[in-house]
Amino acid sequence: MEISAAAYKNSWRFDKEGLPADLIRRGMAVPDPTKPHGLRLLIEDYPYAQDGLLLWSAIENWVRTYVERYYPDSSLVCNDNELQEWYSESINVGHFDLRDADWWPKLETVDDLVSILTTIIWLASAQHAALNFGQYPYGGYVPNRPPLMRRLIPEENDPEYASFLADPQKYYLLALPSLLQATKFMAVVDNLSTHSPDEEYIGERQQPSIWSGDAEIVEAFYEFSAEIQQIEKEIDRRNADPSLRHRCGAGVLPYELLAPTSGPGVTCRGVPNSVSI
Protein backbone atom coordinates (compact mmCIF):
# COMPACT_ATOMS: atom_id res chain seq x y z
CA MET A 1 0.00 0.00 0.00
CA GLU A 2 2.86 2.39 0.79
CA ILE A 3 4.52 1.72 -2.57
CA SER A 4 1.22 2.21 -4.41
CA ALA A 5 0.47 5.42 -2.51
CA ALA A 6 3.91 6.84 -3.30
CA ALA A 7 3.61 5.94 -6.99
CA TYR A 8 0.16 7.52 -7.16
CA LYS A 9 1.23 10.71 -5.43
CA ASN A 10 4.42 11.24 -7.42
CA SER A 11 3.70 9.92 -10.91
CA TRP A 12 -0.03 9.37 -11.52
CA ARG A 13 -1.53 11.93 -13.91
CA PHE A 14 -4.95 11.58 -15.45
CA ASP A 15 -3.83 13.41 -18.59
CA LYS A 16 -1.16 10.73 -19.16
CA GLU A 17 -3.37 7.69 -18.53
CA GLY A 18 -4.78 7.39 -22.05
CA LEU A 19 -2.91 4.77 -24.08
CA PRO A 20 -1.16 7.05 -26.63
CA ALA A 21 0.02 9.46 -23.92
CA ASP A 22 1.09 6.58 -21.68
CA LEU A 23 3.17 4.95 -24.43
CA ILE A 24 4.94 8.25 -25.10
CA ARG A 25 5.48 8.89 -21.37
CA ARG A 26 7.06 5.46 -20.92
CA GLY A 27 9.41 5.96 -23.86
CA MET A 28 7.74 3.26 -25.96
CA ALA A 29 6.61 5.67 -28.68
CA VAL A 30 7.19 9.15 -30.05
CA PRO A 31 4.61 11.58 -31.45
CA ASP A 32 4.16 11.24 -35.20
CA PRO A 33 1.10 12.88 -36.80
CA THR A 34 1.65 10.91 -40.02
CA LYS A 35 0.83 7.62 -38.25
CA PRO A 36 -2.73 6.32 -37.76
CA HIS A 37 -2.80 6.91 -33.99
CA GLY A 38 -0.59 10.00 -33.95
CA LEU A 39 2.47 8.14 -32.69
CA ARG A 40 5.20 5.79 -33.82
CA LEU A 41 6.10 2.76 -31.73
CA LEU A 42 9.82 2.44 -31.03
CA ILE A 43 9.35 -1.33 -30.72
CA GLU A 44 6.96 -2.30 -33.49
CA ASP A 45 6.44 -5.87 -32.29
CA TYR A 46 4.92 -4.74 -28.99
CA PRO A 47 1.63 -6.68 -28.63
CA TYR A 48 0.11 -4.63 -25.80
CA ALA A 49 0.58 -1.41 -27.75
CA GLN A 50 -0.38 -2.83 -31.13
CA ASP A 51 -3.61 -4.44 -29.95
CA GLY A 52 -4.35 -1.71 -27.44
CA LEU A 53 -4.24 1.05 -30.04
CA LEU A 54 -6.87 -0.78 -32.07
CA LEU A 55 -9.18 -0.88 -29.06
CA TRP A 56 -8.33 2.68 -28.03
CA SER A 57 -9.26 3.97 -31.49
CA ALA A 58 -12.53 1.99 -31.55
CA ILE A 59 -13.51 3.29 -28.10
CA GLU A 60 -12.63 6.86 -29.05
CA ASN A 61 -14.70 6.70 -32.25
CA TRP A 62 -17.69 5.27 -30.39
CA VAL A 63 -17.43 7.89 -27.64
CA ARG A 64 -17.15 10.70 -30.18
CA THR A 65 -20.24 9.51 -32.04
CA TYR A 66 -22.21 9.35 -28.80
CA VAL A 67 -21.00 12.68 -27.41
CA GLU A 68 -21.52 14.62 -30.65
CA ARG A 69 -25.07 13.29 -30.86
CA TYR A 70 -26.04 15.01 -27.60
CA TYR A 71 -23.47 17.82 -27.45
CA PRO A 72 -23.25 19.16 -31.01
CA ASP A 73 -21.31 22.24 -29.85
CA SER A 74 -19.05 23.10 -26.96
CA SER A 75 -21.41 25.61 -25.34
CA LEU A 76 -23.67 22.71 -24.37
CA VAL A 77 -20.74 21.05 -22.57
CA CYS A 78 -19.92 24.23 -20.64
CA ASN A 79 -23.55 24.88 -19.71
CA ASP A 80 -24.43 21.36 -18.57
CA ASN A 81 -24.33 21.85 -14.81
CA GLU A 82 -24.69 18.16 -13.96
CA LEU A 83 -21.85 17.24 -16.30
CA GLN A 84 -19.59 19.94 -14.86
CA GLU A 85 -20.44 18.91 -11.29
CA TRP A 86 -19.65 15.29 -12.11
CA TYR A 87 -16.20 16.21 -13.38
CA SER A 88 -15.58 18.61 -10.50
CA GLU A 89 -16.46 15.91 -7.98
CA SER A 90 -14.15 13.44 -9.75
CA ILE A 91 -11.25 15.83 -9.22
CA ASN A 92 -12.04 17.56 -5.92
CA VAL A 93 -13.48 14.57 -4.06
CA GLY A 94 -12.20 11.53 -5.92
CA HIS A 95 -8.62 12.86 -6.03
CA PHE A 96 -8.69 15.30 -3.13
CA ASP A 97 -4.93 15.27 -2.54
CA LEU A 98 -4.21 16.05 -6.21
CA ARG A 99 -7.07 18.48 -6.80
CA ASP A 100 -4.76 21.50 -7.17
CA ALA A 101 -2.49 19.92 -9.79
CA ASP A 102 -2.19 22.00 -12.94
CA TRP A 103 -2.35 19.02 -15.31
CA TRP A 104 -6.04 18.19 -14.94
CA PRO A 105 -7.72 18.47 -18.38
CA LYS A 106 -10.31 21.19 -18.78
CA LEU A 107 -13.89 20.24 -19.58
CA GLU A 108 -14.85 23.05 -21.91
CA THR A 109 -15.20 21.54 -25.38
CA VAL A 110 -16.61 18.51 -27.13
CA ASP A 111 -13.07 17.26 -27.69
CA ASP A 112 -12.35 17.61 -23.96
CA LEU A 113 -15.35 15.45 -23.09
CA VAL A 114 -14.46 12.82 -25.69
CA SER A 115 -10.88 12.62 -24.38
CA ILE A 116 -11.91 12.36 -20.72
CA LEU A 117 -14.54 9.67 -21.35
CA THR A 118 -12.29 7.67 -23.67
CA THR A 119 -9.56 7.61 -21.02
CA ILE A 120 -11.97 6.48 -18.29
CA ILE A 121 -13.47 3.74 -20.46
CA TRP A 122 -10.00 2.58 -21.58
CA LEU A 123 -8.76 2.31 -17.98
CA ALA A 124 -11.86 0.44 -16.77
CA SER A 125 -12.00 -1.99 -19.67
CA ALA A 126 -8.98 -2.78 -21.85
CA GLN A 127 -6.13 -1.66 -19.62
CA HIS A 128 -7.57 -3.42 -16.59
CA ALA A 129 -8.05 -6.59 -18.64
CA ALA A 130 -4.44 -6.51 -19.85
CA LEU A 131 -3.19 -6.16 -16.27
CA ASN A 132 -5.62 -8.49 -14.51
CA PHE A 133 -6.60 -11.54 -16.51
CA GLY A 134 -3.09 -12.83 -17.11
CA GLN A 135 -2.20 -13.07 -13.44
CA TYR A 136 -2.80 -16.79 -12.98
CA PRO A 137 -1.05 -17.99 -16.16
CA TYR A 138 2.00 -15.96 -15.08
CA GLY A 139 1.92 -16.15 -11.30
CA GLY A 140 -0.08 -19.32 -10.64
CA TYR A 141 3.17 -21.30 -10.83
CA VAL A 142 4.59 -19.91 -7.60
CA PRO A 143 8.35 -20.41 -8.34
CA ASN A 144 7.84 -18.17 -11.37
CA ARG A 145 6.48 -15.29 -9.30
CA PRO A 146 6.58 -15.97 -5.55
CA PRO A 147 4.46 -13.54 -3.50
CA LEU A 148 7.13 -13.52 -0.78
CA MET A 149 10.54 -14.98 -0.01
CA ARG A 150 11.30 -16.44 3.43
CA ARG A 151 15.04 -15.81 3.23
CA LEU A 152 17.01 -12.79 2.06
CA ILE A 153 19.90 -13.12 -0.35
CA PRO A 154 22.87 -13.12 2.03
CA GLU A 155 25.51 -10.43 2.01
CA GLU A 156 29.17 -11.34 1.61
CA ASN A 157 29.85 -11.22 5.33
CA ASP A 158 26.83 -13.39 6.15
CA PRO A 159 27.58 -16.96 7.36
CA GLU A 160 25.12 -18.33 4.78
CA TYR A 161 26.92 -16.66 1.88
CA ALA A 162 29.13 -19.69 1.22
CA SER A 163 26.15 -22.07 0.99
CA PHE A 164 24.40 -19.59 -1.29
CA LEU A 165 27.38 -19.57 -3.67
CA ALA A 166 27.74 -23.34 -3.49
CA ASP A 167 24.16 -24.06 -4.58
CA PRO A 168 22.07 -20.97 -5.48
CA GLN A 169 19.16 -23.07 -6.73
CA LYS A 170 18.85 -24.97 -3.45
CA TYR A 171 19.02 -21.71 -1.51
CA TYR A 172 16.29 -20.24 -3.72
CA LEU A 173 14.02 -23.25 -3.26
CA LEU A 174 14.40 -23.07 0.51
CA ALA A 175 13.39 -19.40 0.39
CA LEU A 176 10.12 -20.02 -1.41
CA PRO A 177 6.78 -19.70 0.43
CA SER A 178 5.49 -22.66 2.39
CA LEU A 179 2.98 -25.00 0.79
CA LEU A 180 0.13 -23.31 2.67
CA GLN A 181 1.28 -19.80 1.67
CA ALA A 182 1.72 -20.86 -1.96
CA THR A 183 -1.72 -22.49 -2.08
CA LYS A 184 -3.39 -19.37 -0.69
CA PHE A 185 -1.64 -17.23 -3.27
CA MET A 186 -2.64 -19.57 -6.10
CA ALA A 187 -6.27 -19.42 -4.96
CA VAL A 188 -6.21 -15.62 -4.91
CA VAL A 189 -4.72 -15.17 -8.38
CA ASP A 190 -7.01 -17.86 -9.76
CA ASN A 191 -9.99 -15.94 -8.45
CA LEU A 192 -8.68 -12.65 -9.81
CA SER A 193 -8.05 -14.12 -13.26
CA THR A 194 -11.42 -15.87 -13.67
CA HIS A 195 -14.24 -14.66 -15.92
CA SER A 196 -17.76 -15.32 -14.71
CA PRO A 197 -20.16 -17.18 -17.05
CA ASP A 198 -22.33 -14.06 -17.43
CA GLU A 199 -19.46 -11.67 -18.19
CA GLU A 200 -20.37 -8.89 -20.62
CA TYR A 201 -17.49 -7.99 -22.92
CA ILE A 202 -16.64 -4.81 -24.78
CA GLY A 203 -18.95 -4.37 -27.75
CA GLU A 204 -21.63 -6.49 -26.08
CA ARG A 205 -24.77 -5.33 -24.33
CA GLN A 206 -27.81 -7.23 -23.16
CA GLN A 207 -30.74 -6.42 -25.45
CA PRO A 208 -28.66 -4.04 -27.58
CA SER A 209 -31.62 -2.89 -29.67
CA ILE A 210 -33.58 -1.46 -26.72
CA TRP A 211 -31.00 -0.12 -24.24
CA SER A 212 -31.46 3.30 -25.82
CA GLY A 213 -34.54 4.82 -27.40
CA ASP A 214 -32.34 6.69 -29.89
CA ALA A 215 -32.20 4.69 -33.12
CA GLU A 216 -29.12 6.57 -34.32
CA ILE A 217 -27.19 5.62 -31.18
CA VAL A 218 -28.34 2.00 -31.40
CA GLU A 219 -27.04 1.85 -34.96
CA ALA A 220 -23.75 3.45 -33.88
CA PHE A 221 -23.39 0.83 -31.16
CA TYR A 222 -23.88 -1.97 -33.70
CA GLU A 223 -21.09 -0.41 -35.77
CA PHE A 224 -18.85 -0.26 -32.68
CA SER A 225 -19.64 -3.91 -31.94
CA ALA A 226 -18.77 -4.89 -35.53
CA GLU A 227 -15.45 -3.02 -35.25
CA ILE A 228 -14.62 -4.90 -32.04
CA GLN A 229 -15.27 -8.19 -33.84
CA GLN A 230 -12.89 -7.15 -36.61
CA ILE A 231 -10.25 -6.25 -34.02
CA GLU A 232 -10.51 -9.75 -32.55
CA LYS A 233 -9.94 -11.26 -36.00
CA GLU A 234 -6.93 -9.00 -36.50
CA ILE A 235 -5.46 -10.04 -33.15
CA ASP A 236 -5.91 -13.70 -34.12
CA ARG A 237 -4.17 -13.00 -37.42
CA ARG A 238 -1.26 -11.32 -35.69
CA ASN A 239 -0.86 -14.19 -33.25
CA ALA A 240 -0.54 -16.57 -36.18
CA ASP A 241 2.09 -14.46 -37.98
CA PRO A 242 5.49 -16.17 -37.57
CA SER A 243 7.30 -12.89 -38.29
CA LEU A 244 5.98 -11.43 -35.01
CA ARG A 245 8.39 -13.13 -32.64
CA HIS A 246 6.82 -11.70 -29.48
CA ARG A 247 3.58 -13.52 -30.32
CA CYS A 248 4.47 -16.59 -32.26
CA GLY A 249 7.24 -19.19 -32.09
CA ALA A 250 8.73 -21.91 -29.96
CA GLY A 251 8.00 -21.28 -26.31
CA VAL A 252 6.09 -18.03 -27.04
CA LEU A 253 2.46 -17.80 -25.99
CA PRO A 254 0.10 -15.87 -28.27
CA TYR A 255 -0.76 -12.46 -26.84
CA GLU A 256 -4.49 -12.64 -26.21
CA LEU A 257 -4.95 -10.38 -23.17
CA LEU A 258 -6.63 -7.77 -25.37
CA ALA A 259 -8.65 -10.23 -27.45
CA PRO A 260 -12.14 -8.83 -26.75
CA THR A 261 -14.14 -11.98 -25.96
CA SER A 262 -13.63 -15.02 -23.77
CA GLY A 263 -15.31 -18.06 -22.37
CA PRO A 264 -15.77 -18.43 -18.60
CA GLY A 265 -12.92 -19.34 -16.27
CA VAL A 266 -9.18 -18.61 -16.50
CA THR A 267 -8.56 -17.95 -20.19
CA CYS A 268 -5.88 -15.22 -20.28
CA ARG A 269 -8.06 -13.22 -22.67
CA GLY A 270 -11.27 -11.16 -22.77
CA VAL A 271 -12.00 -7.44 -22.23
CA PRO A 272 -15.07 -6.89 -20.02
CA ASN A 273 -17.08 -3.69 -20.37
CA SER A 274 -15.77 -2.49 -17.02
CA VAL A 275 -13.58 -3.56 -14.10
CA SER A 276 -14.85 -7.01 -13.22
CA ILE A 277 -13.33 -9.42 -10.71
Side-chain angles (χ1 to χ4, degrees):
M1 289 295 292
E2 290 179 4
I3 292 173
S4 297
Y8 165 76
K9 182 177 181 179
N10 298 321
S11 62
W12 185 89
R13 291 180 48 161
F14 181 77
D15 62 328
K16 301 294 185 182
E17 292 299 309
L19 179 60
D22 179 55
L23 292 171
I24 293 170
R25 172 178 59 177
R26 294 192 291 111
M28 304 304 297
V30 293
D32 187 340
T34 67
K35 297 295 182 180
H37 305 286
L39 56 80
R40 175 172 57 84
L41 292 176
L42 298 182
I43 301 176
E44 291 189 10
D45 187 10
Y46 180 16
Y48 168 73
Q50 284 187 323
D51 298 352
L53 286 169
L54 294 178
L55 288 172
W56 170 270
S57 181
I59 293 168
E60 185 177 43
N61 291 338
W62 160 235
V63 169
R64 182 171 295 280
T65 299
Y66 192 98
V67 167
E68 290 181 348
R69 171 66 170 164
Y70 300 109
Y71 296 92
D73 63 73
S74 295
S75 64
L76 294 172
V77 173
C78 292
N79 295 324
D80 187 329
N81 292 331
E82 291 184 352
L83 181 66
Q84 293 295 332
E85 285 298 320
W86 164 77
Y87 189 52
S88 176
E89 181 181 335
S90 300
I91 297 172
N92 295 301
V93 179
H95 299 276
F96 179 81
D97 55 335
L98 299 177
R99 68 192 185 283
D100 295 324
D102 60 5
W103 43 255
W104 283 104
K106 303 295 184 183
L107 180 51
E108 298 174 346
T109 68
V110 171
D111 286 345
D112 292 341
L113 182 55
V114 169
S115 176
I116 290 167
L117 293 178
T118 300
T119 298
I120 292 172
I121 293 170
W122 161 259
L123 292 174
S125 60
Q127 194 204 44
H128 177 261
L131 295 172
N132 183 72
F133 292 106
Q135 289 186 82
Y136 189 81
Y138 175 61
Y141 179 61
V142 173
N144 190 50
R145 187 185 181 279
L148 59 89
M149 298 297 283
R150 294 186 294 171
R151 304 172 74 184
L152 298 175
I153 296 177
E155 297 181 0
E156 291 186 14
N157 58 354
D158 193 301
E160 291 189 310
Y161 188 69
S163 60
F164 168 70
L165 289 181
D167 194 340
Q169 181 173 332
K170 180 180 178 181
Y171 192 94
Y172 171 73
L173 292 174
L174 290 173
L176 286 174
S178 69
L179 181 60
L180 178 60
Q181 290 168 325
T183 304
K184 287 181 177 179
F185 177 70
M186 291 173 66
V188 170
V189 293
D190 177 81
N191 189 52
L192 291 173
S193 304
T194 297
H195 288 294
S196 65
D198 60 348
E199 192 82 87
E200 194 171 275
Y201 298 95
I202 190 167
E204 297 179 351
R205 184 178 287 274
Q206 293 180 6
Q207 299 176 310
S209 63
I210 63 172
W211 69 272
S212 169
D214 189 330
E216 184 174 322
I217 290 299
V218 171
E219 181 62 28
F221 180 79
Y222 277 123
E223 292 176 4
F224 171 63
S225 181
E227 185 174 2
I228 294 297
Q229 293 174 32
Q230 288 301 118
I231 289 172
E232 181 150 3
K233 292 179 181 178
E234 173 61 16
I235 291 173
D236 290 341
R237 185 198 67 77
R238 290 174 175 179
N239 283 327
D241 184 347
S243 69
L244 300 176
R245 302 302 297 274
H246 292 165
R247 297 174 179 267
C248 186
V252 179
L253 294 174
Y255 186 81
E256 297 182 311
L257 287 172
L258 290 174
T261 64
S262 172
V266 177
T267 63
C268 204
R269 58 177 291 143
V271 180
N273 268 324
S274 63
V275 172
S276 173
I277 299 177

